[in-house]
Amino acid sequence: MAESRGRRAKSAERMALGVRLGNEWCQTFFTKNLEIRKQHHTLVYYLTNTVDMININNLNFGYSKHKPLFKNMSMRLSNGHIYGLLGKNGAGKSTLLKNLAGLVYAQSGTLEVMGYDPAKRQPALLEQICFIPEEFYLPSVKIDAYIKANAPFYKNFDHNYFTDLIKEFDIPVEQKLINMSYGQKKKVIIAFGLATQAKLVIMDEPTNGLDIPSKAQFRKIMASAMTDERCIIISTHQVRDLDNLIDTVIMLDENDIALKATVEEITAKLTFKKVKEIDDSIIYAEPSLSGYNAVMPNYHQEESKLDMELLFNAILAEKIKFKPLFS
């Protein structure tokens, strides 16, 4: 009996020791893991997918102190989405994109892209950002020379993918870039940008200068270029060029974000339809040949296709009415 009690006591002692060692091991593991997370937050982002790709908090920016473009702007953007950035002329679309790319700097507030401050222009971040501006310059060289000079800045640049895109866009590879049409130049830099394999792709008016077949090619290529690790932001005035491409709408107005909502959320809360007459249920309507194109609350869970141009005009005209729906 005494021997049995002794064995049980030793067993309990060993168990307690195991629990204590296990706790110490867990504590050591999580402490070291936390240190790794702090030191390599970008890596953790890709491995765990728990950190927003873009985090904007109380951002204030203006080219003049007396005329701010953004006042206390806050927003979070995640990977795995194609965002459509809309706004009137002068609303700050291009400026917001330049802030994200680290080309201009905020006066106050914080802006993080993949855990980095883009204003510091760190190479580890820059190689993961592809910014395709509306206005650009291409040198008097052929495509292969351009690639040789610029591809090394992006360690994941995919030469085979770039070649495939150039063929898809039907670009004359033997012609110097400077002699190409504006639309051809635009397609070259779009192909280059996607081939960088950057995690953040920023495009400012990418369909300007593209003909109708090229716009269809652009939508097809962008849809295939999207991955779960990538975040794509497209700023445009040509809202119909983004139909069936974007999954989230961001609208800028009056120094801040007037709307940020997924297409699914918008069509769940609003319905877009043609009506013969206007009644009190309609939030906004525009005359059409057969009556009115209207936006109204989706009380009956009707399915409708998002009309981004109509939504854009509606938000600008009736901000107060829409705000409770998307707050």
Side-chain angles (χ1 to χ4, degrees):
M1 183 73 68
E3 185 178 347
S4 177
R5 282 198 301 270
R7 283 199 298 269
R8 284 199 298 270
K10 288 184 179 180
S11 176
E13 185 179 344
R14 285 195 295 269
M15 186 177 296
L17 176 61
V19 170
R20 187 169 69 252
L21 290 175
N23 288 339
E24 290 174 357
W25 180 88
C26 287
Q27 184 177 3
T28 302
F29 172 80
F30 286 115
T31 300
K32 289 184 177 180
N33 191 44
L34 180 60
E35 291 174 357
I36 293 173
R37 291 171 70 93
K38 288 178 179 178
Q39 294 171 8
H40 303 284
H41 47 263
T42 305
L43 175 62
V44 171
Y45 166 79
Y46 294 124
L47 295 178
T48 66
N49 198 28
T50 58
V51 180
D52 292 310
M53 181 172 277
I54 296 170
N55 193 345
I56 303 172
N57 189 34
N58 293 324
L59 188 74
N60 290 280
F61 178 88
Y63 293 105
S64 167
K65 291 183 179 180
H66 305 292
K67 192 176 181 181
L69 263 178
F70 308 136
K71 291 181 180 179
N72 298 318
M73 175 184 286
S74 296
M75 175 171 59
R76 293 185 176 185
L77 305 181
S78 303
N79 56 309
H81 293 279
I82 300 181
Y83 295 93
L85 181 61
L86 312 179
K88 297 184 295 186
N89 289 333
K93 300 185 300 298
S94 297
T95 299
L96 178 58
L97 300 183
K98 289 177 181 178
N99 270 274
L100 295 176
L103 298 174
V104 294
Y105 315 130
Q107 277 125 10
S108 63
T110 59
L111 170 58
E112 287 189 350
V113 177
M114 288 178 269
Y116 293 92
D117 178 358
K120 294 182 178 179
R121 308 284 295 166
Q122 293 165 280
L125 175 62
L126 295 181
E127 69 181 11
Q128 293 297 343
I129 296 179
C130 165
F131 178 47
I132 299 175
E134 180 180 9
E135 298 178 0
F136 55 88
Y137 167 79
L138 292 178
S140 182
V141 298
K142 293 182 180 179
I143 288 177
D144 56 352
Y146 181 80
I147 295 301
K148 186 177 181 180
N150 291 281
F153 291 105
Y154 299 90
K155 66 178 181 181
N156 296 320
F157 190 88
D158 190 332
H159 291 268
N160 292 330
Y161 183 42
F162 177 77
T163 301
D164 292 341
L165 292 176
I166 290 298
K167 289 179 181 177
E168 177 78 17
F169 276 136
D170 194 24
I171 301 298
V173 293
E174 294 303 318
Q175 189 174 349
K176 287 188 175 181
L177 296 172
I178 199 169
N179 296 326
M180 292 182 181
S181 69
Y182 178 75
Q184 288 174 325
K185 293 177 183 177
K186 180 64 72 75
K187 288 187 281 189
V188 169
I189 64 168
I190 289 173
F192 178 86
L194 294 178
T196 64
Q197 300 297 319
K199 301 301 181 185
L200 175 59
V201 178
I202 304 170
M203 297 182 164
D204 195 0
E205 301 289 352
T207 58
N208 275 5
L210 300 186
D211 56 23
I212 293 174
S214 296
K215 288 181 179 181
Q217 287 176 320
F218 170 78
R219 287 191 291 268
K220 174 186 171 184
I221 288 170
M222 292 307 301
S224 64
M226 189 60 205
T227 68
D228 289 339
E229 291 183 339
R230 230 171 191 174
C231 174
I232 299 176
I233 306 173
I234 304 174
S235 169
T236 185
H237 288 98
Q238 312 296 326
V239 293
R240 300 206 181 276
D241 291 343
L242 301 186
D243 279 350
N244 303 317
L245 180 60
I246 69 167
D247 59 57
T248 304
V249 177
I250 303 170
M251 189 179 300
L252 303 183
D253 189 47
E254 294 183 349
N255 314 117
D256 204 354
I257 299 164
L259 173 71
K260 177 179 175 284
T262 65
V263 171
E264 183 178 351
E265 182 183 2
I266 293 169
T267 53
K269 294 181 177 182
L270 299 173
T271 184
F272 301 80
K273 61 169 62 175
K274 294 183 180 293
V275 296
K276 296 288 186 181
E277 298 178 350
I278 297 177
D279 59 37
D280 292 339
S281 67
I282 294 173
I283 302 177
Y284 177 82
E286 293 178 352
S288 67
L289 292 176
S290 57
Y292 298 90
N293 295 321
V295 184
M296 61 189 73
N298 194 3
Y299 293 126
H300 305 294
Q301 299 302 303
E302 301 177 61
E303 290 188 7
S304 65
K305 187 177 185 298
L306 171 61
D307 185 331
M308 278 199 292
E309 188 172 316
L310 187 63
L311 176 68
F312 176 77
N313 294 333
I315 294 288
L316 294 181
E318 301 290 352
K319 285 187 284 289
I320 296 176
K321 292 182 180 179
F322 283 102
K323 193 170 183 179
L325 294 172
F326 296 100
S327 57

